[in-house]
Every structure is written in structure tokens, then in C-alpha cells.
Amino acid sequence: QNSTYQCPSTPVAQLRGHADGPIHIIRFTGDGNYCLTGGNDRTVRLWNPTRVDPAYRPPLSTKLSSQEYYARQYSQTYGDDESTQKQQQHIPSALPMQTYSEGHVHPVHAITTNSSSTMLLSSSDKTIIATNLVTAQTVQKWWGHTARIEYVACLGGGDENNNTNVGEEIYASASYDATVRLWDARSKSKEPLMILDDAKDSVSCIKSGGSDIITSSIDGNIRTYDLRTGKLITEDVSHPITSFAVSNDGRSIASSCLDGVIRLFDKYNSLHRIDARKKVFQKFHSLHKSGNYKLECALTS
């Protein structure tokens, strides 16, 4: 851990609008300008987190507009004293953009968008739903899982010519039924293109990298499916995995485990044959503890 690196610590916006109950998932769009939340109220909501909602009034009686109120409130330099903390206790309300409720008859636990931020993928129990982000109209639905979907992903996202739409017509869903299913968005068929059923427990996360599909499972394994060679490489982390992230250079994987530890290790390289598990070369002991909700992890560089 680099003590000189300062993480953001001052809240600048709060996403208000979901009905009572937990928010299960939050994701930023591919361009990073907007974010999406999925909640227990069976809706997905789109937000602009950098703009203040003009319709939301501050709790204190004031003649200032909400923008002026928040601009004045956050123009001060914050400290650790009690009077400063009182000034910070009300957080600005972010601007809501759109609500997506069509097709969601169960709480939403998984959402993502394609890289062009035109298509929303979400889950409703055992069903995966594709929705047009602009029109809010449902484009297609797929089903077939026998347990709740835990994660959805758009596969592909680039080739040697920088075409970011390559492979994005293939969607993936991971479920508590210990399977990953691949779906063809261009086809009217409701049958999956492929079912990956090698996991022995719930599949918690999916990533794509070039010709690889990478999955994690509560059974403690990271599985890399090399589509070019047909190989399956299983890397044993020996702890239930709730989430993982791949570094930008594609060489390392960080896995968030149920014991609250993030383990960092080398990613499988198809150019080198690997028959044994990868050695975990760094552990990060987080202050967070896994309980009712899983802990996710991400790499910033």
C-alpha cells in the first residue's frame, strides 16, 4: 500500500430515488460520465453523478437554489473538527436521468453496459434483459438458468484495429447454478450459444480478455477459457472468490475473497504452458469484511 497515494475521501453526491430496500449493484457507463444502480425496488436507474438535481431542495430553509447552496457548502476546506463535520452531513443529490423498470419482476442484482454505452444488460432473478439505454425499451430477454443470476457482461470490446464493437453481440451471464451461459444478441434464438459448467459452486464474476473468457467461483478457482486453443486453465486461490479484476496490461489478476483478503497473482499466458496453480505474490488485508453482501475489487492502473 502506497501511503503517498490519496484516495478520494469527500462525498460529492448522493444517489436518491430508489424505494426502500438495498441497492444491490452500481456500475459506471463505459465512458465514465454516468452511473447505473440496480435495487431491491426492481428498477435500474441512470444518474449523472457530477451534476446536482435542481428539483431536490436542501433540508435547511434557504432562499438559495440547490446549486448555489451546494456550491457554497463545498467551497470550504474540510477538516476533522466537529463543526466541520456538521457542515458535511448533508450531501448533494445527483441528477437522475432515466428509470428502467420494464421486464424487472424481481430485485436487480447485476447490470452492465456495452463500451459504447448504448445497451443496458440487467438481471431479474433467472432472466437476463437487454434494454436500449436511450429509449428505455426492452430489446430482448433470455432465460435458462436454474438459480439467480449474479453477474452479466458484454464480451469482446476491441481488436487490433481499435474496433470496440467486436464481440459485443455476445453476452454472458453467471449464476448461482454454477454455470456461465453465452448468448447471441443478433439471434432470435433463446438457446445459449455455450454453457460453461466446470465450476463446483456459484460463479461470481466474468471478464473477457482478447480470446479468453475468465470466470471466478465460490469454489475458490479462477478459470480461463482460451477460445483459440480450447484450453481450460484452472488457477486455485484456495479461498471463495467474490470478485476479481484484471490489470490493464492483462498480466495480473486481483481476486477479492470471502475472508476479506485481496490476492494478487500472475494471469495465465497462453504462450507458456502452465500445469500448476499460480503463486499468490501479494496479499492486501482489507478493513472490509464480507457479510450479507459481497466485496468487489478493481485495479486503477
Side-chain angles (χ1 to χ4, degrees), residues 139-164:
V139 177
Q140 198 161 180
K141 296 181 182 180
W142 299 269
W143 50 86
H145 284 288
T146 58
R148 194 183 80 195
I149 295 172
E150 182 70 7
Y151 200 94
V152 292
C154 291
L155 302 184
D159 64 2
E160 64 276 6
N161 298 318
N162 251 346
N163 184 353
T164 57

Side-chain angles (χ1 to χ4, degrees), residues 195-233:
I195 300 177
L196 309 178
D197 57 359
D198 301 283
K200 307 304 180 186
D201 207 329
S202 305
V203 182
S204 55
C205 192
I206 319 167
K207 307 287 183 184
S208 66
S211 62
D212 295 341
I213 297 176
I214 311 168
T215 69
S216 65
S217 173
I218 302 300
D219 65 12
N221 290 286
I222 298 278
R223 292 177 172 87
T224 301
Y225 298 86
D226 191 327
L227 301 183
R228 288 178 298 185
T229 64
K231 278 186 178 181
L232 167 61
I233 302 298

Side-chain angles (χ1 to χ4, degrees), residues 12-15 28 32-35 47-52 93-95 97:
V12 296
Q14 189 167 0
L15 310 180
F28 275 88
N33 294 326
Y34 304 94
C35 65
W47 312 83
N48 184 336
T50 63
R51 292 188 59 188
V52 173
S93 185
L95 180 65
M97 304 289 292

